[in-house]
């Protein structure tokens, strides 16, 4: 019995350098039908053609993004170069615990009691 794992394992791969571009190749209707079969999705002929157009459109956008020369540009965590404003991670005692526990339907020793979910 052959499965998805077999085809992935036997797929020849070569190491890709970060500057290499992925080859572009438009999908065909048979590719979309095969993907739908692998995903166990029932797809009509009209949906196949619509999906084919959408996927090939996405690949064209990816091709446009890949055509931009990014050599020498450092990756950024934020598109505007901003940073995260983080508070200090300090353990504190919350004096309003008693007020919060008044809302609990059931409590014991300052902790919420919840019904057992797994038996």
């Amino acid at each position: 019995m052959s499965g998805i794992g077999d085809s992935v394992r036997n797929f020849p791969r070569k190491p890709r350098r970060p500057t290499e571009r992925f080859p572009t190749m438009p999908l065909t209707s048979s590719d979309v039908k095969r993907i739908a079969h692998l995903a166990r999705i029932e797809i009509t002929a009209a949906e196949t053609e619509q999906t084919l157009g959408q996927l090939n459109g996405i690949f064209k956008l990816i091709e446009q993004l890949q055509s931009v020369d990014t050599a020498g540009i450092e990756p950024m965590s934020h598109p505007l170069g901003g940073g995260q404003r983080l508070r200090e991670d300090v353990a504190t005692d919350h004096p309003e615990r008693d007020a919060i526990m008044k809302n609990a339907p059931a409590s014991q020793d300052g902790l919420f009691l919840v019904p057992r979910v797994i038996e």
Side-chain angles (χ1 to χ4, degrees), residues 28-68:
T28 63
S29 294
S30 62
D31 293 329
V32 174
K33 289 176 185 172
R34 183 170 183 270
I35 293 167
H37 172 74
L38 290 172
R40 304 298 189 250
I41 298 172
E42 190 173 324
I43 190 167
T44 65
E47 291 171 331
T48 301
E49 292 305 314
Q50 180 183 8
T51 304
L52 176 64
Q54 291 173 345
L55 288 173
N56 281 330
I58 291 169
F59 289 146
K60 284 180 185 175
L61 289 173
I62 292 170
E63 186 178 335
Q64 285 178 342
L65 289 173
Q66 289 178 339
S67 68
V68 176

Side-chain angles (χ1 to χ4, degrees), residues 9 15 18 20 25 30-31 43 51-52 59 64 75 86-87 91 93-94 98-99 108 112-113:
R9 259 193 310 273
E20 278 186 65
M25 196 166 94
S30 62
D31 293 329
I43 190 167
T51 304
L52 176 64
F59 289 146
Q64 285 178 342
L86 303 174
R87 65 173 172 81
D93 187 26
H94 295 285
D98 292 331
Q108 179 181 352
F112 287 93
L113 292 179

Side-chain angles (χ1 to χ4, degrees), residues 14-26:
K14 67 174 192 165
R16 190 176 74 82
R17 291 179 289 143
T19 56
E20 278 186 65
R21 304 291 184 212
F22 288 104
T24 57
M25 196 166 94

